[in-house]
Amino acid sequence: MEASNYTTSPSTAADAAITTKEQTNTPSTATEDPPLSKKALKRQKRWEKTQAIKKRRKEQSKEIRRIKAQNEGRDLDAEREQQKQNEKEGKGWARREKLWRERCQKGKIDESFRVCFDCNFEDQMTWKEVNSLSLQLRYAYAMNRKSPMPLHVHVTGVKGECDTRKHLEKIDGFPDSWAGRAYHVHEESLEDVFGSALSNVVPSKGEEVKQDNDEAKSEGKEEDTDKDNSQKSQPMLRPNHQLVYLTGDSENTLSTLDNNTTYIIGGIVDRNRLKRAAIERAEAIGSNSTLPIKTARLPLDEHLDFKGSTRILTCNHVFEILLKYRENGYKDWGKAVLSVLPDRKDIHEKEEKKEESQKDEEDKS
């Protein structure tokens, strides 16, 4: 607004003074933020301290990388420019795809057992618990993607409007890129996905017909996997395929893992509230459908001394134990479990099992 020069008459000046006084006395209508409580101030200070620590650690990490590169005679600026050029030309993606195919072929992903996360318990969990579940699914995806012997993984019951999907959709590449890494997310339930797959099993090895798309298969993709519609990726199962629901309440104990089996992990984060939920779910599926489902538990007590620590495992811990057991050549449950669980649990391998492992190592040498 442009300012203008004018002469103010006495009456106008008086009116202006009155108006100014009224405006001064009139309480402000603008809403001001209320002062923070002591608890909120402490929370804010903790957050600021955490952010400062993260920033400092990031700077320290960058400095360590710079010194290491300098000692090795590398030019980090040139490497960054080359990385940008590779991303522009798609070379980085091609290299990662090649490495993934090599791991899948070497690990014989299509001949291995499968894992399924049954996400049918969301309506029994709190929002915080659902958020924890989505994080555990992300951890499992990362573990499988980096493993030298990846598995086909199916996550069932992740419906379009459920909170689990809303959390996962915040991640870049979900769900299409995940399907390209043998991690298939289905809106359909466990019963629908595997009921359909078992009714369309692939021929056994003696009668096997060579697939038209060998390359897609070697990449860890299912026959129907399409990057534009990952929901259509269905398991390709062999005859006599079994389903085993893993739950600590089962009377059956796993001795080893069978490669013609899908091991089901209940997608439950309940802080020990939903007792027997997994085994009751498995029994309900077995009684209400034609799926040949069994139950079993991991051989934790047979191999490990928990010394009072809880035996309740997160979904990603159970998955990683199965993954490590396979990487160890389908033996030594104790080694697989100890390599996964955090040290704070203070878990030790039982002496007799430790002696057996040492004897096996001596026989090898």
Side-chain angles (χ1 to χ4, degrees), residues 179-191:
R181 292 293 181 265
Y183 205 90
H184 312 280
V185 181
H186 306 268
E187 291 191 14
E188 298 84 6
S189 66
L190 166 69
E191 301 93 306

Side-chain angles (χ1 to χ4, degrees), residues 47 156 168 181 191 195 222 250 257 291:
W47 180 84
T156 60
L168 294 176
R181 292 293 181 265
E191 301 93 306
E222 302 290 357
S250 176
L257 298 176
L291 288 182

Side-chain angles (χ1 to χ4, degrees), residues 337-354:
V337 175
L338 289 173
S339 66
V340 171
L341 297 185
D343 294 335
R344 66 176 181 272
K345 281 186 173 286
D346 193 27
I347 300 170
H348 301 281
E349 191 172 6
K350 287 188 173 180
E351 288 299 324
E352 58 269 25
K353 294 297 179 181
K354 188 183 294 185

Side-chain angles (χ1 to χ4, degrees), residues 16-79:
I18 294 171
T19 305
T20 305
K21 187 177 180 180
E22 289 176 351
Q23 289 176 347
T24 305
N25 294 333
T26 303
S28 175
T29 56
T31 58
E32 296 179 358
D33 294 334
L36 295 176
S37 63
K38 289 183 179 180
K39 187 175 181 180
L41 283 171
K42 287 182 180 179
R43 190 161 52 240
Q44 183 178 0
K45 287 181 179 178
R46 282 199 304 269
W47 180 84
E48 291 173 352
K49 184 178 180 180
T50 303
Q51 296 303 309
I53 292 172
K54 285 183 179 179
K55 185 178 180 181
R56 186 173 68 250
R57 286 178 178 173
K58 187 176 181 181
E59 291 173 352
Q60 290 173 347
S61 179
K62 287 174 67 175
E63 182 64 17
I64 291 170
R65 289 198 300 269
R66 187 191 66 77
I67 295 173
K68 183 180 178 182
Q70 188 177 14
N71 293 337
E72 295 174 354
R74 292 160 45 208
D75 187 349
L76 283 179
D77 293 332
E79 289 180 2

Side-chain angles (χ1 to χ4, degrees), residues 65-308:
R65 289 198 300 269
R66 187 191 66 77
I67 295 173
K68 183 180 178 182
Q70 188 177 14
N71 293 337
E72 295 174 354
R74 292 160 45 208
D75 187 349
L76 283 179
D77 293 332
E79 289 180 2
R80 291 192 188 98
E81 289 298 323
Q82 185 62 46
Q83 185 178 2
K84 290 179 182 178
Q85 187 66 25
N86 289 344
E87 289 177 358
K88 190 181 295 183
E89 297 175 0
K91 290 182 180 178
W93 178 87
R95 180 179 61 83
R96 289 191 297 272
E97 285 296 304
K98 181 182 177 182
L99 290 173
W100 171 254
R101 287 195 297 270
E102 289 174 353
R103 289 207 305 272
C104 289
Q105 290 171 353
K106 186 177 179 180
K108 299 181 179 179
I109 186 172
D110 294 313
E111 298 177 17
S112 174
F113 63 87
R114 295 165 182 264
V115 173
C116 172
F117 291 99
D118 178 22
C119 298
N120 191 66
F121 305 90
E122 182 173 306
D123 57 346
Q124 303 177 55
M125 296 190 295
T126 65
W127 184 91
K128 186 176 181 180
E129 291 167 346
V130 172
N131 183 50
S132 295
L133 174 62
S134 66
L135 285 173
Q136 293 176 23
L137 294 174
R138 288 169 56 187
Y139 293 148
Y141 164 72
M143 288 292 175
N144 195 56
R145 182 169 56 86
K146 296 175 183 177
S147 172
M149 301 179 70
L151 300 167
H152 280 298
V153 181
H154 299 271
V155 185
T156 60
V158 186
K159 299 174 183 176
E161 296 300 322
C162 71
D163 288 333
T164 304
R165 176 172 286 274
K166 290 176 182 177
H167 287 300
L168 294 176
E169 283 177 344
K170 297 176 183 177
I171 310 304
D172 290 338
F174 176 86
D176 299 328
S177 296
W178 289 29
R181 292 293 181 265
Y183 205 90
H184 312 280
V185 181
H186 306 268
E187 291 191 14
E188 298 84 6
S189 66
L190 166 69
E191 301 93 306
D192 292 336
V193 171
F194 283 90
S196 174
L198 287 171
S199 62
N200 296 284
V201 295
V202 299
S204 59
K205 276 196 171 181
E207 307 168 353
E208 188 170 357
V209 179
K210 186 173 178 61
Q211 301 293 330
D212 293 333
N213 194 350
D214 287 336
E215 183 179 356
K217 191 175 180 182
S218 67
E219 291 176 3
K221 296 179 182 179
E222 302 290 357
E223 189 177 33
D224 294 333
T225 298
D226 188 337
K227 277 202 168 188
D228 295 328
N229 191 357
S230 64
Q231 297 299 329
K232 292 183 178 179
S233 58
Q234 296 295 330
M236 294 196 313
L237 307 179
R238 300 191 295 276
N240 303 317
H241 192 83
Q242 300 293 317
L243 300 176
V244 175
Y245 213 116
L246 299 178
T247 168
D249 295 313
S250 176
E251 296 179 355
N252 308 313
T253 305
L254 284 178
S255 57
T256 187
L257 298 176
D258 177 65
N259 280 331
N260 197 22
T261 298
T262 294
Y263 294 96
I264 304 163
I265 302 171
I268 306 172
V269 180
D270 61 342
R271 311 289 187 253
N272 206 24
R273 287 187 302 104
L274 306 176
K275 295 181 179 180
R276 295 187 58 82
I279 194 168
E280 288 174 1
R281 163 87 169 134
E283 291 170 350
I285 293 173
S287 61
N288 297 329
S289 69
T290 58
L291 288 182
I293 193 165
K294 302 175 182 178
T295 63
R297 65 176 180 86
L298 295 177
L300 301 179
D301 292 320
E302 287 75 8
H303 292 263
L304 300 165
D305 183 3
F306 279 79
K307 294 186 176 180

